[in-house]
């Protein structure tokens, strides 16, 4: 999506105030850092449970607060959320709060019996992480047989009549396998597929698997081929993009409403809460972006404080740097995903892995 240059100023003047008005729509709850995997691409360095994780009572209170603040969509993740024995209780409480509870899992331990319990609790959807074909996935997970367990989990969820999607980290191992993965995931029973780039954070901080700037043209070509799939065409999540001519096609789910990139939603539409209660605009942001802790203040106090989440709530285009500073899309784009910007450059407002840059170079409108 590209706004006509003649209308850009008036469109920006109309949209930017609305986009910067906080309205909490979704919350990600990291239930635990316990996990049976030791993924080399883990952004949270998970393994064992953190000391003093939030209790069931505290989490139920958070669900009620989230609902009171207007939240509609709630995602339980980890670590591995199946490691929490109260997961079913929390899903049911989220439903009681009239929210849409979703779960993101490695699939390890998700048996047919567990799938039936998730269905009985009325989980809205489950997303299984699959990060390549068998050898690549198992190598990244550090667990032999993890790939087969993930596919078995997809099948169990399908049999339990739970909408099941897949999320895939795109990196040096998975990028060459994405097109072959589509057929495998479709046959396993997945009805949705999202792609996110591996970021150099957590255990992946110094990983050679992270895509380089020189990989971006290849990624764009692959994404465009995948978008032509008649079934299970993947869509990109926030840390891949932004503002190519076909951004809406690459970012929208098949059959869903068109969605294009209009800036990072961290601290504006979305928050993430760690297993020990720290609140961030996004769980992919580091400890320097903690806005408060729900054991010290209510979620409402943290969210409604206009001074917090300043990187987004007080955003102005003059904060952009690098290629983003001179980009005509910069004011609305905001420099792409903030977590990606911070991971690669140490600050918001600059993203040199932007696919729009690749497109400009293809068209010869930007010097190589």
């Amino acid at each position: 999506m590209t706004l006509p240059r003649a209308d850009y100023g008036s469109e920006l003047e109309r949209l930017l105030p609305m986009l910067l008005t906080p309205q909490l729509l979704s919350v990600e709850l990291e239930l635990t850092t316990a996990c049976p995997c030791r993924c080399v691409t883990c952004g949270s360095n998970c393994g064992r449970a953190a000391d003093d994780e939030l209790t069931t009572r505290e989490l139920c209170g958070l669900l009620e607060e989230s609902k009171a603040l207007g939240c509609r969509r709630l995602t339980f993740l980890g670590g591995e959320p199946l490691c929490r024995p109260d997961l079913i209780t929390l899903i049911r409480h989220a439903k009681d709060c009239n929210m849409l509870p979703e779960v993101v899992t490695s699939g390890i331990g998700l048996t047919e019996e567990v799938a039936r319990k998730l269905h009985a609790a009325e989980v809205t959807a489950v997303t299984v992480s699959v990060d390549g074909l068998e050898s690549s996935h198992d190598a990244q997970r550090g667990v032999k047989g993890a790939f087969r367990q993930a596919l078995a989990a997809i099948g169990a969820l399908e049999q339990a009549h739970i909408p099941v999607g897949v999320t895939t980290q795109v990196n040096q191992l998975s990028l060459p396998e994405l097109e072959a993965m589509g057929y495998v995931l479709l046959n396993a029973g997945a009805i949705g597929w999202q792609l996110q780039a591996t970021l150099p954070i957590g255990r992946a901080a110094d990983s050679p698997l992270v895509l380089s700037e020189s990989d971006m043209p290849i990624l764009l070509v692959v994404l465009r081929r995948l978008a032509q799939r008649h079934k299970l065409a993947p869509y990109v999540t926030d840390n891949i993009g932004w503002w190519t001519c076909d951004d809406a096609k690459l970012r929208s789910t098949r059959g869903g409403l068109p969605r294009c990139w209009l800036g990072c939603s961290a601290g504006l539409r979305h928050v993430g809460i760690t297993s020990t209660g720290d609140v961030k605009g996004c769980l992919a942001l580091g400890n320097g972006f903690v806005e408060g802790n729900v054991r010290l203040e209510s979620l409402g106090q943290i969210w409604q404080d206009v001074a917090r989440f300043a990187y987004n709530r007080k955003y102005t285009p003059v904060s952009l740097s690098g290629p983003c500073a001179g980009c005509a899309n910069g004011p609305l784009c905001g420099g792409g995903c903030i977590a990606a910007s911070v991971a690669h450059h140490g600050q918001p407002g600059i993203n040199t892995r932007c696919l729009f840059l690749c497109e400009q170079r293809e068209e010869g409108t930007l010097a190589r």
Side-chain angles (χ1 to χ4, degrees):
M1 169 185 173
T2 303
L3 296 173
R5 293 293 177 257
D7 299 330
Y8 193 86
S10 60
E11 193 71 9
L12 172 62
E13 184 177 349
R14 181 179 71 84
L15 285 176
L16 201 54
M18 292 188 292
L19 294 173
L20 297 181
T21 301
Q23 181 184 3
L24 186 60
L25 300 178
S26 66
V27 172
E28 283 188 332
L29 273 177
E30 177 192 71
L31 294 182
T32 181
T33 55
C35 186
C37 301
R38 295 296 183 271
C39 302
V40 295
T41 54
C42 180
S44 304
N45 203 16
C46 292
R48 70 176 189 85
D51 296 333
D52 199 21
E53 293 188 329
L54 296 172
T55 65
T56 305
R57 182 176 181 178
E58 288 174 315
L59 287 166
C60 286
L62 267 179
L63 301 185
E64 293 160 14
E65 280 194 83
S66 299
K67 173 59 179 177
L69 291 168
C71 176
R72 177 64 173 155
R73 180 180 175 185
L74 188 77
T75 304
F76 296 115
L77 39 71
E80 175 50 69
L82 294 178
C83 290
R84 285 281 304 218
D86 56 358
L87 176 61
I88 298 299
T89 297
L90 295 170
I91 292 171
R92 286 179 173 144
H93 196 71
K95 289 294 293 185
D96 289 343
C97 292
N98 295 316
M99 290 192 288
L100 301 173
E102 302 177 2
V103 173
V104 179
T105 174
S106 67
I108 294 178
L110 206 164
T111 62
E112 292 181 1
E113 180 183 0
V114 171
R116 286 193 293 270
K117 290 180 179 179
L118 290 169
H119 181 264
E122 297 185 81
V123 70
T124 300
V126 175
T127 299
V128 179
S129 298
V130 184
D131 296 326
L133 297 176
E134 185 166 8
S135 61
S136 296
H137 179 84
D138 287 3
Q140 291 178 72
R141 295 275 154 178
V143 177
K144 187 174 178 58
F147 179 79
R148 296 188 181 189
Q149 291 186 67
L151 294 192
I154 295 171
L157 292 162
E158 182 191 30
Q159 289 182 18
H161 306 291
I162 296 172
V164 54
V166 167
T167 184
T168 298
Q169 288 208 36
V170 182
N171 53 46
Q172 299 288 353
L173 283 180
S174 62
L175 179 57
E177 299 179 344
L178 290 179
E179 291 176 269
M181 282 180 65
Y183 299 100
V184 174
L185 299 176
L186 180 63
N187 290 335
I191 61 171
W193 185 20
Q194 64 181 25
L195 305 177
Q196 61 181 33
T198 297
L199 295 180
I201 56 177
R203 197 175 290 134
D206 300 309
S207 176
L209 296 182
V210 175
L211 295 177
S212 67
E213 292 178 22
S214 63
D215 293 316
M216 294 301 105
I218 301 169
L219 174 60
L220 182 55
V221 169
V222 171
L223 291 176
R224 285 175 168 166
R225 280 204 301 262
L226 288 168
Q228 304 306 313
R229 288 177 56 87
H230 295 295
K231 295 182 178 180
L232 202 65
Y235 63 95
V236 299
T237 51
D238 290 358
N239 72 3
I240 297 177
W242 304 265
W243 279 71
T244 58
C245 65
D246 51 355
D247 183 74
K249 184 172 185 178
L250 298 179
R251 202 170 294 282
S252 304
T253 58
R254 186 66 59 85
L257 293 174
R259 176 176 177 260
C260 62
W261 178 257
L262 290 174
C264 179
S265 63
L268 291 173
R269 307 283 182 268
H270 175 84
V271 294
I273 304 173
T274 71
S275 65
T276 54
D278 285 340
V279 178
K280 308 176 187 178
C282 169
L283 285 175
L285 290 167
N287 291 335
F289 289 82
V290 173
E291 305 291 341
N293 188 285
V294 295
R295 282 176 166 152
L296 302 176
E297 304 171 89
S298 71
L299 181 60
Q301 287 175 302
I302 296 169
W303 177 257
Q304 293 167 348
D305 185 343
V306 296
R308 306 194 207 198
F309 310 100
Y311 51 85
N312 254 344
R313 295 184 180 184
K314 298 186 181 299
Y315 161 74
T316 60
V318 297
S319 66
L320 300 175
S321 59
C324 300
C327 179
N329 297 329
L332 282 178
C333 175
C337 169
I338 289 178
S341 182
V342 171
H344 289 296
H345 302 284
Q347 65 184 56
I350 173 173
N351 263 302
T352 55
R353 286 166 171 77
C354 171
L355 296 184
F356 178 63
L357 288 176
C358 299
E359 190 172 70
Q360 285 183 297
R361 292 188 176 108
E362 287 176 356
E363 297 170 354
T365 57
L366 184 71
R368 292 182 182 272

